[in-house]
Amino acid sequence: MVRLLRPLVRGRTYTRLLHMWVPVAGVSVWLWIEPGLPWVPLLVLVPLGLLPRVREAEVMQARLLLTPDEAEPDFATRPATAWRDRWRTVLWLEFRTLLGGVVAYATVWLPIIAYALAARTVGHETEDLPQVTGPSNWMFGLLAPLPLVALYALVAGGGAVLTAVARRLLGPSVAERLAAVEERTEQLLERTRIARELHDSIGHALTVAVVQAGAARAANSPEFTARALTAIEETGRAALEDLERVLGVLRESERPASARPTLTDADRLLESARASGAAVDAEVTGPLETLPGPVSREGYRILQEALTNVLRHAGAVPARVRVAAGDGLLTLEVHNPLPDGRPAPGRGSGLRGIRERAALLGGRADTGPDGDGDWQVRVELPLG
């Protein structure tokens, strides 16, 4: 019993009733002007519902009045651009108006009928209500609550039905749901890319700075210390530029990806590694300036992460770097020896990032010992 009466103390019961009353106001004005043409308001709703922005207005009302206690109700968030969605809006307006008219009529007359039944019980005259006539009788008293019960059921049930229909007709279509999923996926991919950008750029700069500082302290040479400080400064400036690019992506969603470094800037990475004490033997072949943008940008980050791993895990050791573009393939190779007692890179986040970048472009990445006993990173990226 308590459960049946619970809607009486819920605010949404009355906001839904208000939502059903709203369209009746305009219809009532028209019926007062021209009562012989009650179908005209329903006809006017057809072109009105075809306007794309009307769905936005209806969704706003539905959020405020039908689902006031829901943080994220399942309604569309954009104008109805597809014709199928526009006709769903038309159907919603027609249904809302018809149901609102029934509820408004019952809200007025059912309480009056309940009063008339109670009045006839005690002998009061109700000539203006011919449906409640006859001599006074106690039976009228038993019937008096029934109109109020019917009104309660109509208000509570009508609000629930209207809300269910609103979710159906004002909710996003299948195409809109797919578009929302794709947009969410793009956002997640962008966040992952930004995380990789920060890891590669800042991680490289910090690794170079740590190696340079340690080497300068061990060398105990003013000339070497000056070169180390210069390398740390240049690497730090480059990292700040990369950080500014990443923050620009966060601030401006339309910022072009072309602002990111590409393989044409590979000399900066090689000089940074050499300044850290590593003897880098580089072989660069092929037209790097004509590489597709995504391949060139991701190739730069892969090379950066591979050199960072050399400095982090092996220190200032000789490294062989090969970058070759041609025959529809970009090949990146980094070989370096592992000093005794130092662990291999294993499965750290750096190697995982290299594999993820390669897989994202449909390529492959192989890491591990090569035939000469050195550690190698070999990545192949298709150009087409």
Side-chain angles (χ1 to χ4, degrees):
M1 185 65 178
V2 175
R3 184 176 181 180
L4 291 176
L5 298 177
R6 192 172 298 167
L8 288 174
V9 296
R10 288 177 176 169
R12 68 183 182 187
T13 300
Y14 305 100
T15 59
R16 289 174 177 178
L17 177 61
L18 177 61
H19 189 272
M20 289 185 282
W21 279 349
V22 169
V24 181
V27 176
S28 300
V29 173
W30 169 256
L31 292 179
W32 182 73
I33 297 173
E34 189 60 64
L37 299 173
W39 48 267
V40 171
L42 297 177
L43 184 63
V44 172
L45 291 177
V46 175
L48 181 64
L50 294 177
L51 299 176
R53 292 287 180 181
V54 171
R55 183 171 73 166
E56 277 190 318
E58 290 298 315
V59 167
M60 184 180 301
Q61 292 184 54
R63 287 177 181 271
L64 292 174
L65 299 178
L66 295 181
T67 58
D69 50 353
E70 295 184 23
E72 294 293 337
D74 191 18
F75 292 130
T77 58
R78 298 177 180 177
T81 54
W83 282 104
R84 179 182 177 86
D85 297 329
R86 297 187 189 188
W87 283 110
R88 290 169 64 208
T89 306
V90 171
L91 184 59
W92 159 253
L93 292 175
E94 300 284 355
F95 179 81
R96 178 188 177 186
T97 301
L98 291 173
L99 181 61
V102 172
V103 173
Y105 183 86
T107 304
V108 173
W109 285 102
L110 287 179
I112 293 177
I113 294 174
Y115 166 78
L117 290 172
R120 294 301 298 161
T121 303
V122 296
H124 289 177
E125 296 295 331
T126 55
E127 290 85 358
D128 54 337
L129 297 174
Q131 66 270 33
V132 184
T133 58
S136 300
N137 194 306
W138 62 271
M139 292 292 296
F140 286 115
L142 297 178
L143 297 176
L146 295 183
L148 299 180
V149 173
L151 177 62
Y152 167 68
L154 185 61
V155 170
V161 170
L162 189 66
T163 303
V165 174
R167 295 184 193 276
R168 180 73 175 179
L169 297 180
L170 296 181
S173 62
V174 175
E176 290 173 326
R177 291 182 187 276
L178 290 176
V181 171
E182 291 178 356
E183 182 178 355
R184 177 61 177 166
T185 302
E186 288 294 329
Q187 291 175 352
L188 293 176
L189 290 175
E190 184 67 9
R191 290 182 181 181
T192 302
R193 187 185 68 78
I194 290 174
R196 286 199 301 262
E197 290 282 329
L198 289 174
H199 173 271
D200 294 348
S201 178
I202 306 303
H204 176 76
L206 291 176
T207 300
V208 170
V210 170
V211 172
Q212 288 280 12
R217 184 177 59 180
N220 195 22
S221 168
E223 294 80 6
F224 186 86
T225 301
R227 292 197 304 269
L229 291 176
T230 301
I232 291 174
E233 180 183 7
E234 293 176 351
T235 304
R237 291 183 184 277
L240 288 176
E241 293 177 3
D242 288 342
L243 179 60
E244 188 63 29
R245 292 190 188 97
V246 173
L247 294 179
V249 172
L250 293 175
R251 297 192 192 103
E252 305 174 23
S253 59
E254 301 300 324
R255 188 180 181 95
S258 58
R260 295 162 52 199
T262 64
L263 276 177
T264 56
D265 305 312
D267 288 342
R268 189 177 74 181
L269 292 177
L270 300 176
E271 290 303 322
S272 176
R274 292 188 180 108
S276 300
V280 179
D281 179 17
E283 177 186 352
V284 180
T285 59
L288 299 184
E289 64 280 356
T290 62
L291 294 177
V295 174
S296 187
R297 289 190 291 270
E298 296 303 319
Y300 176 92
R301 292 305 185 190
I302 290 173
L303 180 60
Q304 183 182 55
E305 182 58 35
L307 291 174
T308 301
N309 285 339
V310 171
L311 296 173
R312 180 182 297 141
H313 296 284
V317 299
R320 304 192 312 275
V321 176
R322 177 174 173 265
V323 180
D327 297 330
L329 196 67
L330 172 66
T331 303
L332 300 170
E333 292 185 10
V334 177
H335 298 256
N336 65 277
L338 287 175
D340 295 338
R342 294 208 181 191
R347 300 177 178 270
S349 59
L351 295 181
R352 184 168 59 250
I354 290 175
R355 297 188 186 99
E356 289 177 354
R357 289 181 184 276
L360 187 64
L361 295 175
R364 54 175 297 180
D366 297 321
T367 60
D370 61 10
D372 299 328
D374 293 342
W375 183 267
Q376 74 164 350
V377 174
R378 177 183 173 85
V379 177
E380 295 181 348
L381 302 177
L383 300 181

